[in-house]
């Protein structure tokens, strides 16, 4: 079971595909921080990659930072290695940070279960939305934009109408 609403964002210090290490404090200037449990190999993540990229792009000028974190065990899933993450981020043109949680510390602290799984934190870094990006793996069938609705609410000083949805995707690949 994942963490509950109101939980503080986890502290972290993780390498990014950009060659830099990123910490929670790296995003102190953002009013909203979206952490997404992610990976390379999962077909669900692949289905949502460009929608997540669009969210990051569309909200960048509204003080929102989107950060994808891969915590999967690369020994059992070599396509989720740091080197493969770098290749995928470049090939897909990710505009969000993509970090490698090799020790699985962030996934453990968030009790992540799926990829992709969204954790949206407000200015005080309190969890205000947890769940899916939207309601369909098939982009043409989307009728509910959960993450966008939650972002709009938080940015306007409101609580999201829907603060939890079931994350859909592959399981986190634990060591």
């Amino acid at each position: 079971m994942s963490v509950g609403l109101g939980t503080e964002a986890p502290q972290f210090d993780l390498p990014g595909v950009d060659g830099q290490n990123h910490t929670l404090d790296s995003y102190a200037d953002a009013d909203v921080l979206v952490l997404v449990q992610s990976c390379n190999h999962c077909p669900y993540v692949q289905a949502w990659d460009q929608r997540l990229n669009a969210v990051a792009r569309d909200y960048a000028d509204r003080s929102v930072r989107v950060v994808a974190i891969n915590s999967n065990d690369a020994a059992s899933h070599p396509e989720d290695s740091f080197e493969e993450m770098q290749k995928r981020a470049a090939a897909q043109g990710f505009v969000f940070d993509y970090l490698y949680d090799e020790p699985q510390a962030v996934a453990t602290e968030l009790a992540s279960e799926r990829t992709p799984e969204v954790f949206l934190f407000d200015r005080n870094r309190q969890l205000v939305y947890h769940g899916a990006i939207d309601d369909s793996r098939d982009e043409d069938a989307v009728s509910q934009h959960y993450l966008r609705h939650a972002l709009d609410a938080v940015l306007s000083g409101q609580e999201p109408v829907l603060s939890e949805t079931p994350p859909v995707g592959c399981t986190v690949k634990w060591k």
Side-chain angles (χ1 to χ4, degrees):
M1 182 96 165
S2 292
V3 295
L5 296 174
T7 299
E8 287 187 22
Q11 293 292 329
F12 57 85
D13 186 352
L14 301 172
V17 298
D18 61 357
Q20 304 293 316
N21 264 42
H22 300 262
T23 66
L24 181 62
D25 289 340
S26 301
Y27 305 102
D29 62 331
D31 287 336
V32 180
L33 178 63
V34 180
L35 299 181
V36 182
Q37 193 68 61
S38 192
C39 68
N40 281 357
H41 86 275
C42 175
Y44 290 89
V45 170
Q46 294 169 10
W48 269 290
D49 269 348
Q50 288 309 312
R51 281 179 269 173
L52 187 60
N53 222 21
V55 167
R57 206 173 18 257
D58 293 349
Y59 286 86
D61 65 345
R62 297 180 66 194
S63 195
V64 172
R65 291 298 301 270
V66 175
V67 180
I69 300 176
N70 175 12
S71 304
N72 278 357
D73 178 16
S76 65
H77 289 77
E79 59 270 48
D80 287 333
S81 72
F82 187 66
E83 295 75 24
E84 292 301 317
M85 289 171 57
Q86 291 173 310
K87 291 177 189 174
R88 182 156 179 77
Q92 295 297 314
F94 290 166
V95 297
F96 51 83
D97 290 335
Y98 192 19
L99 313 182
Y100 187 43
D101 179 23
E102 189 274 332
Q104 300 184 317
V106 173
T108 299
E109 194 161 340
L110 291 174
S112 300
E113 297 173 352
R114 303 273 171 204
T115 59
E117 184 170 356
V118 172
F119 299 87
L120 188 158
F121 296 92
D122 65 11
R123 166 45 78 199
N124 299 317
R125 297 305 180 251
Q126 304 292 309
L127 184 66
V128 294
Y129 172 77
H130 167 244
I133 295 169
D134 55 41
D135 67 345
S136 181
R137 180 177 166 191
D138 176 3
E139 187 170 7
D140 294 331
V142 173
S143 65
Q144 295 293 318
H145 298 274
Y146 303 135
L147 177 55
R148 287 178 180 272
H149 293 315
L151 284 168
D152 292 343
V154 172
L155 289 168
S156 66
Q158 312 280 320
E159 289 189 22
V161 173
L162 195 56
S163 56
E164 290 189 274
T165 61
V168 177
C170 300
T171 59
V172 172
K173 306 308 180 205
W174 298 101
K175 292 180 182 178

